[in-house]
Amino acid sequence: MNLDQETIAKLAEHVENAELNRQEIVKITDDYPDMDYEDAYAIQYAIRARKEARGTRIAGLKMGLTSRAKMKQMGVEQPVFGFITDYGAYAEGAEIETSRFIHPRIEAEVAVVTKATLRGPGCHIGSALAAIDFVIPAVEIIDSRYKDFRFDLRSVIADNTSAAGYVTGGRMARPESLDLPVLGVVLEKNGEIVELGAGAAVLGHPAASVAMLANMLAERGEEIPAGTFIMTGGITAAVAVEAGDNICVRYQDLGTLGFRFV
Ligand code: OOG
Ligand code: MG
């Protein structure tokens, strides 16, 4: 770690305020070029603690930058993790207030809920699959607090990996009933197909993303408790949305998730 506790706390407040006030900021590594990955996660965890102290419930975990499409779009090459909150949750059919965000984008993802503890190191796709209770379609709403969505890996980790909301719905299924790598996803905006892909876009298999999360958490002495909701990362590149947009995401075997921005 290169930053002291006081600076971590100050940056956590700065980045969280950008979220709460919907006001974009410049990426924090511009002013703190020495900030390292540990500092970045320390800032993210400080933001999480600030929210929990205010009564926010942590509703699950997310992986990000797990697909080529996303890595290419954002110019960063390594998966990251973050948390999702109770107040970011939307159900299928939701009317989502666009004014809650700075410059929202959506990503089609596959989410899972676990039924057993997952602990790294050495967690692999087999253990992850055995620990998945069910799979459920989920669309993430990301909203980088950084100007023009421009960031580096350390800055985006500190900004809780741009997490802003998520819509769940469609149909859940047991993992053994699905062929997750070839599970097709089609994202439509206002009736037009804008992105499409398959589960394999996510590290070859969405369960590999769950295993990687367990291994990343293990480095911090943490595990994934049973009953955790996990978003495995965008299959497709993220799509910018604005008020008036109607979104429909079709998942092979898992139904359709529709909602709109108002
Ligand atoms: C970072 C978050 C990436 C995903 O699913 O890849 C992410 C960003 O692109 O702003 O959530
Ligand atoms: Mg995502």
Side-chain angles (χ1 to χ4, degrees):
M1 292 205 36
N2 291 327
L3 302 182
D4 58 35
Q5 283 312 313
E6 203 182 314
T7 310
I8 299 279
K10 191 180 83 179
L11 288 173
E13 183 176 6
H14 176 61
V15 176
E16 203 211 4
N17 279 344
E19 178 213 337
L20 300 176
N21 304 326
R22 294 147 186 100
Q23 211 147 47
E24 61 186 19
I25 54 178
V26 297
K27 71 177 193 311
I28 55 182
T29 45
D30 285 2
D31 287 328
Y32 295 88
D34 292 341
M35 182 178 133
D36 65 17
Y37 288 100
E38 249 184 279
D39 295 320
Y41 276 109
I43 295 166
Q44 182 193 118
Y45 273 68
I47 290 175
R48 180 170 161 160
R50 289 173 65 84
K51 292 189 185 304
E52 287 185 291
R54 239 183 270 123
T56 296
R57 202 179 73 80
I58 304 307
L61 298 171
K62 62 164 280 191
M63 287 291 279
L65 305 171
T66 45
S67 73
R68 274 274 130 230
K70 285 288 314 181
M71 291 182 201
K72 204 167 138 220
Q73 183 179 33
M74 306 320 297
V76 278
E77 299 251 316
Q78 202 182 295
V80 291
F81 71 89
F83 63 90
I84 55 182
T85 61
D86 54 3
Y87 65 84
Y90 294 93
E92 195 174 343
E95 292 191 345
I96 301 173
E97 291 228 22
T98 316
S99 63
R100 283 185 66 173
F101 310 102
I102 302 167
H103 40 207
R105 296 180 179 180
I106 55 162
E107 305 172 322
E109 305 202 10
V110 164
V112 305
V113 174
T114 59
K115 61 181 175 189
T117 308
L118 268 175
R119 200 177 289 127
C123 184
H124 55 78
I125 190 167
S127 9
L129 273 171
I132 291 171
D133 189 5
F134 61 86
V135 175
I136 181 171
V139 174
E140 182 170 28
I141 304 165
I142 54 170
D143 191 32
S144 176
R145 270 51 74 166
Y146 301 121
K147 195 169 177 333
D148 303 324
F149 255 93
R150 283 225 198 92
F151 48 69
D152 50 27
L153 212 45
R154 291 162 297 150
S155 293
V156 74
I157 290 167
D159 182 28
N160 190 24
T161 66
S162 310
Y166 50 101
V167 189
T168 47
R171 192 185 307 144
M172 63 176 115
R174 303 284 173 206
E176 58 271 25
S177 73
L178 299 169
D179 192 359
L180 280 170
V182 295
L183 187 109
V185 174
V186 178
L187 198 168
E188 295 175 8
K189 180 167 98 169
N190 303 323
E192 249 179 69
I193 296 172
V194 284
E195 288 290 339
L196 46 85
V202 179
L203 298 173
H205 193 307
S209 173
V210 174
M212 183 181 254
L213 175 61
N215 291 328
M216 288 170 93
L217 289 173
E219 284 173 30
R220 315 177 50 91
E222 296 173 24
E223 58 189 26
I224 306 176
T228 303
F229 174 75
I230 304 165
M231 315 246 324
T232 60
I235 290 173
T236 65
V239 174
V241 289
E242 55 185 32
D245 283 343
N246 267 294
I247 307 299
C248 171
V249 188
R250 298 175 202 284
Y251 287 81
Q252 183 178 15
D253 298 331
L254 295 174
T256 295
L257 238 177
F259 50 97
R260 58 200 187 94
F261 287 87
V262 296

